[in-house]
């Protein structure tokens, strides 16, 4: 198994740490008198310190200790880097390294973890080309030659494995062990059954054991290139992209992150922001879940009370109109009769609630698509309640616009002159148009889609209910 060293771009924000550090670097063949000390933080990299060469040595010092994790000595102008482990009790370091020959020349005092890691990398630099050469020979070898070559390759793999196991056994708390474990595959049991059954069993087992070789509660992982990629893969590739499934996966991850307070905080903020701004239909349910389960229950003590109130207020606005919820009842005036009609009184297998404004350019561009949609689907049990969002004496502008555009498809046109139904509040109408698709019981099936998407979405709904 090969150790994977990931290359990333280099960015420059700053984060404070906590005791003194003193790192002296003798860097041969450097092109610049400047050397940067950077570090990983989730999926980005930050600048911590800058050193100018004096008497052939770069020196980084600080009154507060560096937070443990994986750091980078970055060499301008090409931004080549030397990977460096920082542990809590190893922060006064003397390093010697040559640019262009980092692995073979790296030497360090007072850091067993870094010695261990670079010894391992040197070992891999010897074994990797040997294994590659044997792999190429096997491709072109005769059947008679292959067993001997395969045996040599297996012997190299055994050496690498023994090297890894030695580190894992004798240095279990080292960052070297964290990196090696991150390359280990899930040990998959053998399953019987049809191909589909075996595939499902393998998926379930793989997902359940995906983090077996990574302790998410280790705070050093936040300052490494490993954690974010793992979490992202688990959520994006191993989790069904549906709100309830994502919520379960997030809860599972946060439970594992709890021992690492800073990591827990980072990812709770990260995912709240991610799903607050998501354009995926239904993903606002994930935002509400995070607010209800973590922010409201006191797991985000860093949030000031005023900000917490805003977050909770936003979640409260979204909660009644999440997909799967019964759409809030509203009573509006039907036009031109000006008789009262309620949303829940509409007897139709499917109801589309369309909230629009004649002064809204997106509404104007959506209307022709919605007209075509209604003509196609009204015979299939679809009714539309189109609520114009103007108030008072501006309501005639709604009907004037429809007349000018010769839009008279026969759906239910309505308005609420005094906003007595509070539909803008109930449906969190901050912009128009807003579209909700409801079933016969007025349960919300879809929302926040455009007029252009209505046909496709409704087709999928009808097919799913055949």
């Amino acid at each position: 198994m090969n150790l994977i060293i990931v290359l990333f771009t280099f960015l420059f924000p700053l984060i404070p740490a906590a005791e003194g550090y003193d790192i002296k670097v003798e860097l041969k063949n450097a092109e610049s008198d400047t050397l940067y000390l950077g570090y990983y933080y989730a999926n980005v990299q930050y600048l911590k310190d800058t050193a100018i060469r004096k008497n052939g040595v770069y020196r980084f010092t600080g009154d507060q200790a560096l937070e443990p994790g994986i750091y980078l000595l970055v060499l301008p102008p090409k931004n080549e880097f030397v990977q460096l482990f920082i542990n809590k009790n190893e922060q006064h370091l003397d390093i010697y390294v040559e640019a262009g020959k980092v692995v073979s020349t790296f030497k360090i005092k007072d850091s067993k973890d870094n010695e261990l890691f670079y010894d391992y990398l040197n070992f891999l630099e010897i074994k990797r080309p040997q294994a590659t050469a044997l792999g190429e020979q096997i491709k072109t070898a005769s059947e008679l030659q292959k067993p001997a070559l395969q045996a040599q390759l297996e012997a190299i793999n055994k050496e690498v494995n023994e090297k890894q196991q030695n580190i894992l056994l004798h240095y279990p708390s080292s960052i070297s062990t964290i990196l090696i474990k991150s390359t280990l595959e899930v040990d998959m049991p053998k399953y019987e059954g049809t191909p589909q059954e075996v595939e499902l069993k393998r998926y379930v087992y793989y997902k359940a054991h995906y983090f077996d070789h990574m302790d998410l509660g280790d705070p050093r992982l936040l300052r490494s290139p490993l954690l974010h990629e793992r979490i992202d893969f688990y959520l994006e590739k191993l989790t069904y992209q549906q709100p309830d499934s994502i919520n379960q996966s997030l809860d599972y991850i946060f439970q594992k992150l709890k021992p690492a307070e800073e990591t827990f905080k980072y990812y709770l903020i990260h995912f709240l922001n991610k799903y607050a701004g998501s354009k995926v239909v239904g993903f606002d349910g994930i935002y509400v879940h995070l607010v209800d389960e973590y922010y409201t229950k006191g797991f985000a003590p860093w949030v000031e009370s005023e900000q917490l109130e805003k977050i909770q207020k936003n979640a409260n606005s979204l909660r009644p109109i999440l997909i799967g919820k019964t759409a809030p009842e509203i009573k509006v005036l039907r036009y031109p009769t000006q008789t009262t009609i309620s949303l829940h009184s509409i007897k139709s297998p499917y109801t589309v609630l369309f909230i629009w404004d004649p002064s809204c350019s997106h509404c104007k561009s959506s209307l022709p698509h919605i007209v075509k949609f209604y003509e196609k689907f009204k015979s299939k049990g679809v009714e539309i309640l189109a609520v114009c969002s103007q108030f008072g004496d501006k309501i005639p502008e709604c009907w004037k616009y429809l007349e000018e555009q010769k839009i008279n498809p026969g759906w239910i046109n309505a308005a609420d002159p005094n906003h007595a139904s509070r539909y803008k509040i109930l449906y969190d109408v901050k912009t128009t148009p807003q579209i909700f698709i409801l079933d016969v019981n007025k349960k919300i099936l879809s929302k926040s889609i455009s007029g252009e998407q209505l046909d496709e979405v409704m087709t999928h709904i009808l097919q799913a209910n055949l």
Side-chain angles (χ1 to χ4, degrees):
M1 299 177 187
N2 292 335
L3 179 65
I4 300 173
I5 303 176
V6 187
L7 304 181
F8 287 85
T9 55
F10 191 67
L11 302 178
F12 295 84
L14 293 168
I15 292 183
E19 264 174 20
Y21 67 91
D22 187 354
I23 301 171
K24 288 176 276 190
V25 183
E26 186 179 351
L27 177 61
K28 295 295 184 182
N29 306 321
E31 295 183 39
S32 173
D33 287 334
T34 302
L35 185 65
Y36 299 114
L37 177 65
Y39 62 98
Y40 295 101
Y41 197 80
N43 63 329
V44 293
Q45 296 75 47
Y46 296 91
L47 177 67
K48 177 60 184 178
D49 206 346
T50 304
I52 305 299
R53 182 165 49 192
K54 293 181 180 179
N55 300 320
V57 175
Y58 304 86
R59 188 172 184 180
F60 301 99
T61 60
D63 295 332
Q64 293 183 314
L66 299 171
E67 293 292 341
I70 301 178
Y71 285 68
L72 307 168
L73 300 174
V74 182
L75 291 61
K78 298 178 182 178
N79 282 353
E80 297 173 290
F81 67 82
V82 178
Q83 202 154 238
L84 179 67
F85 298 162
I86 297 294
N87 286 296
K88 186 175 181 180
N89 299 318
E90 296 180 347
Q91 307 223 355
H92 292 258
L93 308 173
D94 287 313
I95 298 168
Y96 173 89
V97 67
E98 294 182 22
K101 297 189 292 183
V102 171
V103 173
S104 62
T105 63
F106 185 90
K107 293 181 177 61
I108 189 168
K109 293 181 182 179
D110 302 321
S111 176
K112 182 62 180 178
D113 206 349
N114 283 287
E115 289 177 8
L116 194 67
F117 179 63
Y118 278 93
D119 173 70
Y120 176 63
L121 291 184
N122 270 301
F123 175 79
L124 290 182
E125 282 207 339
I126 295 170
K127 297 301 177 181
R128 187 180 290 116
Q130 293 176 1
T132 301
L134 284 168
E136 292 300 317
Q137 291 178 50
I138 290 171
K139 290 179 183 178
T140 58
S142 67
E143 292 303 316
L144 192 61
Q145 295 170 320
K146 282 184 179 179
L149 293 171
Q150 189 66 45
Q152 292 179 54
L153 182 58
E154 289 174 2
I156 291 175
N157 287 335
K158 183 180 179 182
E159 285 185 78
V160 173
N161 184 63
E162 288 175 350
K163 186 79 170 179
Q164 291 176 338
Q165 292 304 317
N166 182 63
I167 295 172
L168 299 181
L169 178 63
H170 294 99
Y171 306 96
S173 62
S174 68
I175 298 177
S176 298
T177 288
I178 292 175
L179 283 170
I180 291 172
K181 278 188 171 182
S182 74
T183 69
L184 302 180
E185 293 292 334
V186 173
D187 189 10
M188 189 73 66
K190 290 185 178 180
Y191 292 107
E192 294 182 355
T194 66
Q196 293 81 2
E197 289 171 341
V198 170
E199 183 179 0
L200 177 60
K201 290 175 183 177
R202 286 175 61 85
Y203 160 74
V204 171
Y205 186 89
Y206 185 78
K207 183 179 179 184
H209 294 271
Y210 181 70
F211 292 112
D212 279 3
H213 300 305
M214 182 174 285
D215 177 11
L216 273 62
D218 188 328
R220 294 173 295 181
L221 280 172
L222 184 59
R223 290 172 176 80
S224 81
L226 307 172
L227 182 61
H228 193 86
E229 183 180 342
R230 280 292 179 112
I231 290 177
D232 186 65
F233 186 87
Y234 185 83
L235 288 171
E236 299 293 334
K237 304 299 182 183
L238 297 182
T239 300
Y240 182 55
Q241 295 301 289
Q242 185 267 346
D244 287 344
S245 298
I246 293 174
N247 287 339
Q248 289 178 6
S249 289
L250 285 170
D251 289 344
Y252 176 72
I253 288 169
F254 282 126
Q255 186 62 36
K256 288 183 171 292
L257 290 175
K258 275 186 179 179
E261 293 182 7
E262 184 184 0
T263 313
F264 180 89
K265 175 181 177 180
Y266 173 85
Y267 279 102
L268 187 55
I269 294 171
H270 169 76
F271 285 117
L272 186 79
N273 290 334
K274 175 180 178 177
Y275 292 111
S278 176
K279 301 299 181 183
V280 180
V281 175
F283 275 20
D284 52 353
I286 304 170
Y287 172 85
V288 171
H289 175 80
L290 292 175
V291 175
D292 290 348
E293 293 301 316
Y294 297 97
Y295 284 81
T296 297
K297 292 183 177 180
F299 291 107
W302 58 85
V303 180
E304 295 182 0
S305 58
E306 185 177 345
Q307 182 63 23
L308 179 61
E309 287 178 11
K310 289 180 181 178
I311 292 172
Q312 291 174 319
K313 183 179 179 181
N314 192 36
N316 291 339
S317 297
L318 294 171
R319 192 178 297 103
I321 53 171
L322 297 178
I323 288 177
K325 297 282 190 179
T326 300
E329 171 69 302
I330 57 171
K331 293 182 179 180
V332 289
L333 291 181
R334 185 170 187 167
Y335 281 78
T337 62
Q338 296 199 42
T339 55
T340 300
I341 183 170
S342 71
L343 173 62
H344 286 204
S345 71
I346 298 172
K347 304 301 181 184
S348 181
Y350 299 98
T351 303
V352 174
L353 174 61
F354 171 45
I355 302 171
W356 68 288
D357 187 322
S359 64
C360 159
S361 60
H362 287 129
C363 297
K364 292 177 181 178
S365 62
S366 289
L367 271 166
H369 296 281
I370 298 175
V371 169
K372 290 180 181 179
F373 163 82
Y374 187 61
E375 290 171 349
K376 178 178 177 178
F377 286 93
K378 62 182 177 181
S379 62
K380 299 178 182 180
V382 176
E383 185 55 87
I384 293 180
L385 173 62
V387 179
C388 179
S389 62
Q390 292 287 3
F391 295 142
D393 58 5
K394 290 190 175 182
I395 287 179
E397 296 177 13
C398 307
W399 324 129
K400 179 181 178 182
Y401 178 80
L402 294 179
E403 289 174 6
E404 290 175 349
Q405 300 300 313
K406 296 182 171 53
I407 296 174
N408 186 24
W411 62 47
I412 302 171
N413 279 312
D416 187 352
N418 301 311
H419 199 221
S421 69
R422 300 172 64 249
Y423 71 87
K424 283 194 174 184
I425 297 171
L426 293 174
Y427 285 89
D428 195 36
V429 180
K430 295 183 174 71
T431 60
T432 52
Q434 292 292 328
I435 295 174
F436 294 80
I437 302 178
L438 317 178
D439 71 3
V440 66
N441 298 313
K442 301 303 179 283
K443 183 175 73 175
I444 299 172
L445 301 178
S446 189
K447 64 175 187 174
S448 303
I449 57 177
S450 67
E452 293 88 337
Q453 295 173 303
L454 256 178
D455 189 318
E456 179 183 358
V457 174
M458 196 71 232
T459 298
H460 284 311
I461 291 173
L462 292 175
Q463 289 174 346
N465 288 283
L466 287 176

